[in-house]
Amino acid sequence: MELFEGSIVPAFEKPQRAELIRQRINEVHLGPIVNASEFPLRFATAVHDLRMVAFIENAYTEWEQLGRTGGAIPYSFLARGCCCNAVPVSLDGRLAYYTFDVATPVTRTSWQAVKGSVDTALTAAKLLHDGERAAFALCRPPGHHAGTDYYGGYCFLNNAAIAVNAIVEEGSQRVAVLDIDYHHGNGTQEIFYRRDDVLFVSIHADPTHEFPFFSGHADEAGASDGEGFNLNFPLPAGTGWKVWSEALGNALSRIAAYGPDVLVVSLGVDTYHGDPISHFLLGQEDFIRLGKRIASLQRPTLFVMEGGYAVDELGINVVNVLTGYEGA
Ligand code: SS9
Ligand code: ZN
């Protein structure tokens, strides 16, 4: 369940999403499906605060011990300019500290899904490392809103960022992240903001009007060593293929100039015109086109699943990107 425009509604980010994408992959015989292997948690804690990772793992047990039901969500938040940075002791205090929205409840099965999602991204990264030209990590829950020590936006741990970090540790000098989800990848941006070995490029809804509201502006260019290695393309509500694909052209030029060893695509298809929580107007055929355009970079490419909530067309839209890429 999710608090949405003042009412409690069924969650948009649901297990069926992954099942439908998997079904569609089978239907079109896209390629072999590999089950995720388990990886040690150190890959996640190389990117995230260890205390937050442990918190997410244990929050629901604590929640139940207090006699509560439903999902573990905060009733309060860490506000800007507050005077104390200490992590509170009570469960409600820690929920307030670590998450930034009410749409990302920790439930009894969250940890299993969160860990599985991270392992899926790492398994796909390993396939690239072992020589595959491209791989798709069917991650759920998504990850791009999760930062070093905060989670939200249906995201708990940043699957793409954890995979990128592992790829760099395996010896890649430069990795580019192209985030094409409708929402700005605030977590991924924050994690790599001061690094020049990871270029982050994102095309998304203008944060002056859209979630996550506090990052994704065009003037956020990176800091210290990372200055010039962060590039945002905020676009207005109502953006369709013409304007979106122009931004994609600019994004791809910057990535080509960077010359990454590996490209990681944070693949959200909530840019679809039928998406229930978004306001861009991409059509099903546009996803084939954009897959082709990504392939033109000719880099080893890891696609990591992010958002996309029009479940009836979700499988088609995601697989269109991948077949567009494959067919190019
Ligand atoms: C819709 C509220 C949406 C969170 C969206 C997270 C998307 C993750 N008005 N809130 S890709
Ligand atoms: Zn999104």
Side-chain angles (χ1 to χ4, degrees):
M1 302 299 262
E2 173 174 341
L3 181 62
F4 178 70
E5 298 177 356
S7 305
I8 305 287
V9 303
F12 291 99
E13 204 295 286
K14 50 188 169 193
Q16 197 198 1
R17 294 178 60 247
E19 289 155 19
L20 291 168
I21 296 167
R22 189 191 170 103
Q23 252 175 45
R24 181 69 185 166
I25 288 171
N26 277 324
E27 233 172 79
V28 306
H29 307 290
L30 184 67
I33 297 182
V34 178
N35 285 328
S37 316
E38 282 200 48
F39 286 80
L41 261 187
R42 67 180 153 79
F43 288 97
T45 56
V47 160
H48 292 286
D49 181 326
L50 176 68
R51 290 172 304 174
M52 179 180 81
V53 176
F55 175 76
I56 294 168
E57 182 172 5
N58 300 310
Y60 197 74
T61 307
E62 289 191 47
W63 185 260
E64 277 188 315
Q65 278 163 359
L66 294 173
R68 300 177 180 180
T69 56
I73 57 166
Y75 65 80
S76 166
F77 292 98
L78 172 66
R80 98 195 68 77
C82 55
C83 54
C84 169
N85 290 318
V87 183
V89 172
S90 76
L91 177 57
D92 290 312
R94 279 174 289 139
L95 281 165
Y97 183 88
Y98 286 119
T99 187
F100 62 89
D101 76 2
V102 297
T104 316
V106 180
T107 66
R108 189 192 304 278
T109 51
S110 290
W111 178 250
Q112 189 191 352
V114 169
K115 176 65 167 56
S117 201
V118 169
D119 284 340
T120 301
L122 288 168
T123 301
K126 175 88 168 45
L127 289 173
L128 278 199
H129 183 255
D130 293 345
E132 290 290 344
R133 185 180 72 101
F136 170 56
L138 211 188
C139 294
R140 195 202 77 86
H144 72 151
H145 295 306
T148 307
D149 61 357
Y150 52 85
Y151 68 91
Y154 315 151
C155 303
F156 298 90
L157 298 179
N158 196 317
N159 311 306
I162 293 166
V164 166
N165 198 65
I167 290 167
V168 171
E169 279 178 5
E170 280 296 326
S172 289
Q173 310 274 315
R174 288 170 190 206
V175 178
V177 181
L178 173 62
D179 188 323
I180 57 172
D181 188 276
Y182 171 80
H183 304 93
H184 180 244
N186 60 305
T188 314
Q189 167 170 306
E190 181 257 330
I191 288 166
F192 298 117
Y193 207 63
R194 293 167 183 280
R195 286 171 61 166
D196 60 5
D197 54 350
V198 180
L199 170 70
F200 179 71
V201 183
S202 180
I203 305 169
H204 51 266
D206 188 337
T208 55
H209 289 275
E210 188 53 278
F211 184 91
F213 300 117
F214 304 107
S215 74
H217 300 280
D219 62 355
E220 296 158 13
S224 60
D225 285 352
E227 178 111 48
F229 297 90
N230 194 88
L231 186 55
N232 285 326
F233 294 94
L235 301 173
T239 291
W241 174 250
K242 191 179 167 331
V243 168
W244 195 92
S245 64
E246 273 168 32
L248 179 65
N250 292 328
L252 294 177
S253 303
R254 176 68 187 97
I255 293 170
Y258 184 64
D261 302 322
V262 176
L263 173 66
V264 174
V265 178
S266 263
L267 175 55
V269 294
D270 39 9
T271 48
Y272 181 53
H273 65 77
D275 196 275
I277 64 169
S278 309
H279 303 96
F280 282 179
L281 301 173
L282 268 53
Q284 296 187 3
E285 302 298 309
D286 295 330
F287 290 110
I288 302 178
R289 296 188 181 101
L290 80 84
K292 269 201 178 82
R293 297 277 297 275
I294 291 170
S296 72
L297 284 174
Q298 297 188 292
R299 306 314 308 165
T301 304
L302 171 59
F303 292 90
V304 178
M305 192 64 212
E306 302 286 357
Y309 307 99
V311 283
D312 291 342
E313 296 94 343
L314 182 61
I316 292 173
N317 291 339
V318 170
V319 171
N320 277 2
V321 174
L322 304 174
T323 51
Y325 180 92
E326 284 289 308

